[in-house]
């Protein structure tokens, strides 16, 4: 998968997560984060869902990189078509995370049809309402991935009659 300006997500260099022009940061190409795709499409009940795996991320840099990867995938899709599942299990929750998720939601508002979140602490769930209000798109938190996937499928666009045959 191609990332920004000719780099790839598996290459040892990538454009800085804040998009600063001309700033290139070197990373270890052998690290687990470099080898893993944090954002990928999967199928659930015949529907395509973008799964963004933030689970276990401990640094802001890793979080921003994963968000950048997901954003580039989302923006390659038609408007109002993406169903997204965000896995936040084990991610330290704080203002930086809220800000980053809000920025990603704003950047992708025209492309995302609905978002589901797993792994969000109960105490932080009211934050989702603000993001949903801001984007005007459905956004729900779930205890299980299966429940989140089922909810997302219920928000999938209707297929035209000609595609149902």
């Amino acid at each position: 998968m191609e990332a920004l300006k000719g780099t790839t997500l598996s290459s040892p260099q990538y454009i800085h997560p804040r998009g600063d022009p001309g700033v290139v940061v070197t990373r270890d190409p052998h690290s687990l984060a470099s080898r893993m795709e944090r954002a990928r499409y999967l199928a659930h009940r015949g529907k395509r869902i973008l799964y963004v795996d933030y689970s276990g991320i401990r640094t802001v840099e890793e979080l921003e990189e994963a968000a950048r990867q997901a954003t580039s995938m989302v923006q390659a899709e038609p408007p109002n078509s993406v169903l997204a599942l965000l896995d936040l299990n084990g991610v330290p929750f704080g203002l930086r995370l809220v800000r980053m998720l809000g920025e990603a939601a704003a950047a992708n508002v025209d492309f995302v049809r609905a978002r589901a979140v797993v792994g969000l602490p109960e105490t932080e769930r009211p934050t989702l309402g603000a993001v949903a209000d801001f984007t005007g798109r459905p956004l729900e938190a779930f205890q299980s991935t299966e429940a989140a996937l089922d909810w997302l499928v219920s928000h999938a666009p209707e297929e035209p009659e000609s595609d149902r045959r």
Side-chain angles (χ1 to χ4, degrees), residues 13-102:
Q13 294 188 335
Y14 67 103
I15 305 302
H16 191 275
R18 286 187 292 281
D20 299 338
V23 177
V24 177
V25 179
T26 302
R27 67 177 177 183
D28 177 6
H30 304 292
S31 72
L32 180 60
S34 293
R35 292 181 309 207
M36 252 172 80
E37 293 293 322
R38 290 244 177 221
R40 60 191 176 277
Y41 281 98
L42 53 88
H44 183 72
R45 298 188 182 189
K47 301 298 179 186
R48 193 167 171 242
I49 296 174
L50 178 64
Y51 175 68
V52 185
D53 183 10
Y54 292 116
S55 66
I57 287 179
R58 294 285 180 213
T59 68
V60 172
E61 292 77 18
E62 249 188 305
L63 193 62
E64 288 176 339
E65 182 180 344
R68 186 182 238 21
Q69 178 189 1
T71 294
S72 70
M73 291 176 74
V74 166
Q75 293 180 355
E77 299 297 325
N80 197 29
S81 67
V82 177
L83 302 172
L85 172 58
L86 311 178
D87 185 342
L88 299 176
N89 280 295
V91 177
F93 204 86
L95 289 177
R96 187 87 185 242
L97 174 65
V98 171
R99 184 187 56 103
M100 189 274 314
L101 291 174

